Amino acid sequence: MLKKLLVAVLVLNFFALPAPAQAKRKITLLLYGGKIFTAVDDQTIAEAVAVDGERIVAVGPSAEIRAKYEGATEIDLKGKLVTPGFNDAHVHFLRGALALLTVNLLDAKSLDEAKSRVAAKAKEVKPGEWIIGRGWDHTLWGGKFPSRKDLDALAPDNPVYLVRVDGHVAWVNSKALALAKITKTTKDPEGGAIERDADGEPTGILKETSQELVSALLPAPTAEQQTKAMTLALDLARKYGITSVQDNSGYRTTFLYREFLKRDKLTVRVSEWLDFEDSVQELKRQRDEFTAFNDDRNRLHLGAVKGYVDGTLGSKTAAMLAPFSDDDKNSGIPRRPQAELTKMIVERDAAGFQLTLHAIGDLANRMGLNAYEAAKNARAAKAGGEKSIDNPMQRLNPLRHRIEHAQVVNPSDFKRFRDLGIIASMQPSHAISDKRWAESRLGEYRVLGAYAWHLMRSYGVHVPFGTDFPVESINPYRTLYAAVARQDESGEPLGGWQPQEKLSIEAAIRCHTFESAYAEFQENEKGVIAPGMLADLVVHSKDLLTIAPAEILTTEPVYTIFNGHIVYQSGE
Ligand SMILES: [Zn+2]
């Protein structure tokens, strides 16, 4: 403290001596007296940040910054921690937003609890109207899938469509099956499975692509519903200090975002992903059309083209090199054969698109890497222009192709992520939700390469963090907690699950800020607190760098600052 005072006095003297007194530069916002974790590296801490308009103009000691600048708004941080705003590198923002309007089955602790939430909705709707919900997780209820029979009595006159927490399985009632004409004789669609009972009758559980047989019948959300839902989701983001999202909602959603942007209500920066299943020609059309709109690129831009290689571990649809340890005849479902995946990747890479692939199982991750390697070879065969790029990772992977989740990776493939420069976009929350059954499903050997963000980073791989909202809560503090503690909310297991994969809190924050910005080519605009960067900042209620990990869960923003403006302030 004494040392700090001394420094402050010296600095003041320095500015007092050379008369005449310099006029302070007027700026819009000045934060001082805090602990600013810049995220430039794991160590750099400052005291004050000066913001003018949408950008940071200076970062440094409080005395120095206050001597030079006068903020239209000045905030005494009283020692509080400031970090860059959180950048969620993997969300389904519109789906999550719409889920806020439907039956919420997240955290339903029993089948009865899930049923009672559906029953409550059934009382509100008209006969024939769809009951839509999401978030159920049968692994919380003993691990047996529910069936249509659980729903039939609750809502005999309404079709019911309930999506599992991971989005990869639907649970429907008999009315919904009838409307979709799914019977004993219906064949499984490619890449999906209709679960059947001993008599061959559909049970009401639809896995992967078979969900589309019913979801195709759902009424599309109206424009009004979408706007309402998005308003709620943006509220949620501000409340959690999220200032950027990388979004799975698809090209059409950019039109909705543009409406919010026009009204200056878009309080997150959006990188919107395109759909891998669209033809190259259609993807190019979307890119051209979007470019012509000429939006503020830092607020809304097109990101990666996203595809799926497999399903999920929770539904046992992840594509595995060997069968699941708790289901020896099942090794999951790849969406398409390797040759077809590779062909699509090579074509889209050649058209200049950043690509990203959902890959959960070790086979799926390997298939993704194989396809990216083929694209790299095809590119190398064509030109040698990439040699001039400085960043070695980027030289390997100039389009910054990514794999989403990278959830179960074979030991020999971590090195391939590095050698190909592939970004591993990971969601720590999944580990603490899945750990209850992941070990028995994977076995003690494979589990060592699962949710292995520390190992991945130790190979020098870029690892941005996200939540996969609404598969998990959008709460970034839960992500940080999962990353550093590897424990669930009740502190289980003691010492952490596969504790060798814990990260330092500093590294975890950087993964959720700087690394996420890198993954969307925005690391020169945001993700760190430095002069010239966009002013997206969070002032936290607790000092994340020093508190016990369990305390991270109850930390929240005191201020969320987006684009230089205070967009959220807690009641504190
Ligand atoms: Zn996802």
Side-chain angles (χ1 to χ4, degrees):
M1 190 62 201
L2 195 70
K3 209 168 165 190
K4 231 184 215 170
L5 272 177
L6 201 64
V7 172
V9 169
L10 286 175
V11 170
L12 282 174
N13 278 342
F14 177 77
F15 282 97
L17 284 176
Q22 269 180 326
K24 290 185 187 181
R25 177 176 158 193
K26 290 204 186 330
I27 55 167
T28 52
L29 178 65
L30 197 160
L31 309 180
Y32 66 94
K35 181 174 176 183
I36 318 286
F37 177 71
T38 63
V40 168
D41 52 35
D42 280 3
Q43 288 135 33
T44 307
I45 303 282
E47 293 173 345
V49 188
V51 172
D52 197 28
E54 62 182 27
R55 302 255 170 192
I56 294 167
V57 291
V59 181
S62 291
E64 186 181 304
I65 300 294
R66 295 190 77 197
K68 279 194 199 164
Y69 298 98
E70 186 182 319
T73 303
E74 297 204 353
I75 297 174
D76 180 356
L77 295 165
K78 301 196 171 95
K80 288 210 157 51
L81 178 74
V82 181
T83 67
F86 293 114
N87 182 335
D88 194 319
H90 182 127
V91 285
H92 303 258
F93 206 63
L94 181 58
R95 194 203 292 169
L98 290 166
L100 298 173
L101 304 179
T102 65
V103 182
N104 174 19
L105 298 172
L106 267 179
D107 306 323
K109 296 276 185 296
S110 65
L111 177 57
D112 282 341
E113 193 177 334
K115 283 163 69 175
S116 75
R117 292 185 197 179
V118 176
K121 188 71 174 185
K123 289 203 187 97
E124 292 172 19
V125 296
K126 297 184 205 89
E129 204 176 308
W130 281 88
I131 296 175
I132 301 166
R134 69 166 294 132
W136 59 273
D137 182 356
H138 63 298
T139 68
L140 298 171
W141 323 327
K144 196 171 157 282
F145 274 128
S147 85
R148 64 189 158 87
K149 289 177 185 151
D150 295 307
L151 299 170
D152 286 347
L154 305 178
D157 304 321
N158 300 89
V160 180
Y161 181 77
L162 307 171
V163 179
R164 190 178 181 275
V165 63
D166 61 10
H168 289 252
V169 180
W171 168 27
V172 304
N173 67 351
S174 297
K175 181 100 183 167
L177 287 173
L179 286 174
K181 302 191 173 66
I182 299 174
T183 64
K184 211 170 167 171
T185 57
T186 309
K187 286 211 181 80
D188 286 353
E190 200 189 325
I194 300 165
E195 197 189 60
R196 297 159 206 270
D197 64 18
D199 304 324
E201 293 289 345
T203 64
I205 289 295
L206 305 171
K207 296 181 182 175
E208 299 297 328
T209 57
S210 69
Q211 295 177 90
E212 290 155 25
L213 299 173
V214 175
S215 66
L217 307 177
L218 298 178
T222 62
E224 197 186 332
Q225 282 168 328
Q226 293 196 25
T227 301
K228 187 176 165 196
M230 190 56 79
T231 305
L232 293 174
L234 288 167
D235 271 347
L236 204 58
R238 287 193 294 274
K239 189 174 142 248
Y240 280 128
I242 298 158
T243 53
S244 290
V245 293
Q246 299 175 44
D247 184 26
N248 281 268
S249 303
Y251 181 65
R252 254 179 308 162
T253 313
T254 58
F255 293 87
L256 177 61
Y257 286 126
R258 188 166 299 113
E259 289 303 312
F260 280 78
L261 187 57
K262 267 189 218 146
R263 292 184 285 122
D264 202 22
K265 297 278 188 220
L266 189 64
T267 51
V268 291
R269 304 182 192 282
V270 178
S271 169
E272 186 56 60
W273 294 354
L274 304 180
D275 186 350
F276 190 69
E277 304 301 324
D278 283 338
S279 68
V280 177
Q281 191 187 5
E282 170 60 13
L283 290 168
K284 283 181 173 167
R285 187 199 69 76
Q286 292 169 0
R287 183 168 60 188
D288 292 345
E289 182 182 76
F290 186 86
T291 307
F293 286 130
N294 217 0
D295 296 313
D296 179 348
R297 286 295 159 71
N298 294 322
R299 304 282 290 271
L300 178 61
H301 67 100
L302 293 185
V305 174
K306 194 236 185 161
Y308 286 84
V309 188
D310 66 346
T312 71
L313 216 48
S315 324
K316 294 192 195 170
T317 51
M320 305 301 295
L321 290 161
F324 296 107
S325 302
D326 59 356
D327 189 353
D328 63 9
K329 294 205 172 45
N330 182 1
S331 46
I333 315 176
R335 285 266 170 121
R336 52 169 56 86
Q338 177 78 64
E340 189 183 325
L341 176 68
T342 300
K343 180 169 178 281
M344 290 175 80
I345 289 281
V346 171
E347 283 170 359
R348 283 155 185 72
D349 173 275
F353 289 101
Q354 182 188 19
L355 303 172
T356 194
L357 291 170
H358 163 112
I360 299 288
D362 48 12
L363 172 61
N365 277 280
R366 182 168 293 176
M367 288 172 72
L369 292 168
N370 291 344
Y372 286 143
E373 186 167 10
K376 178 172 176 263
N377 293 340
R379 237 184 296 125
K382 253 197 275 168
E386 289 152 24
K387 290 197 188 81
S388 59
I389 299 169
D390 295 339
N391 179 333
M393 278 306 200
Q394 202 190 327
R395 195 182 318 127
L396 289 168
N397 180 12
L399 293 172
R400 300 196 190 180
H401 298 323
R402 337 177 357 162
I403 284 186
E404 299 305 308
H405 313 303
Q407 208 162 81
V408 187
V409 175
N410 185 273
S412 61
D413 286 334
F414 286 92
K415 190 173 165 296
R416 292 185 72 203
F417 270 88
R418 178 192 66 193
D419 293 347
L420 296 168
I422 301 303
I423 295 167
S425 166
M426 302 180 84
Q427 302 77 31
S429 293
H430 285 326
I432 63 170
S433 297
D434 298 356
K435 67 175 176 50
R436 286 172 287 112
W437 44 259
E439 200 143 349
S440 60
R441 187 143 305 164
L442 295 170
E444 60 183 338
Y445 173 64
R446 277 187 297 201
V447 81
L448 295 172
Y451 314 90
W453 46 77
H454 186 278
L455 185 56
M456 196 65 93
R457 277 173 54 88
S458 68
Y459 275 90
V461 175
H462 283 285
V463 178
F465 278 170
T467 60
D468 211 1
F469 171 68
V471 178
E472 304 281 353
S473 155
I474 200 167
N475 181 353
Y477 297 97
R478 186 170 185 266
T479 299
L480 297 180
Y481 170 72
V484 306
R486 292 190 67 105
Q487 289 170 312
D488 62 25
E489 282 88 340
S490 54
E492 293 292 330
L494 198 65
W497 182 64
Q498 302 295 339
Q500 71 280 6
E501 294 299 336
K502 289 181 183 177
L503 285 190
S504 70
I505 182 67
E506 290 85 357
I509 293 171
R510 291 193 77 223
C511 287
H512 221 349
T513 55
F514 169 75
E515 291 284 352
S516 294
Y518 177 85
E520 55 159 323
F521 286 94
Q522 292 283 299
E523 75 277 14
N524 295 322
E525 300 288 344
K526 65 187 184 187
V528 298
I529 302 177
M533 291 289 176
L534 291 163
D536 296 347
L537 307 163
V538 186
V539 180
H540 303 273
S541 63
K542 297 184 200 173
D543 183 355
L544 295 166
L545 305 187
T546 56
I547 55 178
E551 295 266 300
I552 297 171
L553 284 170
T554 51
T555 306
E556 54 186 20
V558 179
Y559 294 99
T560 301
I561 295 161
F562 172 75
N563 213 34
H565 298 283
I566 297 170
V567 293
Y568 171 80
Q569 187 173 353
S570 76
E572 189 186 83

